Amino acid sequence: GLRVDFGGGYQGAERARAMYIHEDFAGTPSGFDIACLKASWNGQFARLSHRDVLGALMGLGIERDRLGDLLVTADSVRILCDSKMAEYLLQNLTKIGAVGVNCEMADLAGIAPREERCKEIRATVASLRIDSIAASGFGSSRSRAAADIAADKMKLNWQPVKSASQTVKEGDIISMRGRGRLEVAEVRGQTKKGRTVVVLKRYI
């Protein structure tokens, strides 16, 4: 009797919160309690990365699960966070690394939707095992995919893959550390030789 909605503060957010809503609930959910903070610096003299920003936030004692996406440009970063943390960050985030920053509250509506490019891959695979699908989508061998799984580099629907023999289905998302994401867009049945035809979308 529950449905689940996801929200990360803007369309296409990678890190999102989940909200469970009972089917009998007749009211309006209060929202995901996400705020946006903008930290700015002089981009002519400093270049800060996503890692720099995350390190500064961790240094303030903020846990990663209180933070959403960090949208870094040449001279600023928009930090999406739990709304309860916004005031604390506003008062305490004065430096990122050795670079002084100015912080202010920002409007979530001002964040442009994330535009993702994807490459469509049509492949025939021996089975819907995750090592076989990942090998086709990421352009590697099944043994390499199996090694990545053993090294805990691969996730299926954002959960660690436990075995190379795990099966996937249409709509599943495979993510690989350092390689991006892969969606199983379609499973189209079998060829005369018994191989399975799949359409994959690799986000680049």
Side-chain angles (χ1 to χ4, degrees):
L2 295 175
R3 81 170 193 268
V4 59
D5 291 343
F6 295 94
Y10 70 104
Q11 185 178 336
E14 288 191 8
R15 293 181 63 84
R17 283 184 146 177
M19 180 188 297
Y20 295 91
I21 305 167
H22 196 274
E23 60 186 10
D24 294 335
F25 179 67
T28 301
S30 60
F32 291 94
D33 292 329
I34 296 171
C36 181
L37 187 81
K38 182 179 180 182
S40 306
W41 59 87
N42 190 331
Q44 291 183 325
F45 300 103
R47 289 286 183 271
L48 296 175
S49 67
H50 184 282
R51 178 177 291 184
D52 296 325
V53 176
L54 185 58
L57 295 170
M58 298 293 101
L60 291 176
I62 307 295
E63 296 181 1
R64 187 65 178 102
D65 64 4
R66 295 291 181 179
L67 300 170
D69 287 0
L70 307 176
L71 306 174
V72 183
T73 66
D75 59 3
S76 69
V77 57
R78 281 183 168 84
I79 301 167
L80 280 79
C81 63
D82 185 318
S83 58
K84 296 181 181 66
M85 304 300 305
E87 189 62 33
Y88 176 79
L89 289 175
L90 198 60
Q91 295 178 5
N92 292 280
L93 185 62
T94 57
K95 282 189 173 185
I96 298 176
V99 180
V101 297
N102 296 313
C103 292
E104 60 183 342
M105 297 304 299
D107 190 355
L108 288 170
I111 303 175
R114 182 186 294 273
E115 294 184 9
E116 291 189 297
R117 293 181 299 145
C118 71
K119 175 183 178 182
E120 188 173 278
I121 300 167
R122 296 170 188 265
T124 58
V125 292
S127 71
L128 292 176
R129 284 171 51 121
I130 192 168
D131 57 349
S132 182
I133 296 293
S136 295
F138 292 116
S140 64
S141 65
R142 284 182 64 177
S143 59
R144 170 65 187 275
D148 288 329
I149 291 168
D152 200 25
K153 292 182 178 180
M154 196 180 300
K155 292 185 177 182
L156 177 62
N157 299 326
W158 295 279
Q159 297 298 318
V161 176
K162 297 177 181 177
S163 167
S165 62
Q166 219 170 313
T167 59
V168 301
K169 63 184 183 303
E170 199 169 283
D172 281 350
I173 302 292
I174 300 169
S175 52
M176 173 103 69
R177 192 188 312 157
R179 302 291 299 278
R181 288 183 293 121
L182 190 67
E183 178 185 350
V184 184
E186 292 181 59
V187 178
R188 291 188 170 177
Q190 293 189 327
T191 66
K192 291 179 180 179
K193 295 183 178 180
R195 293 175 65 83
T196 302
V197 180
V198 294
V199 179
L200 309 172
K201 288 183 179 179
R202 182 174 177 185
Y203 292 91
I204 52 178

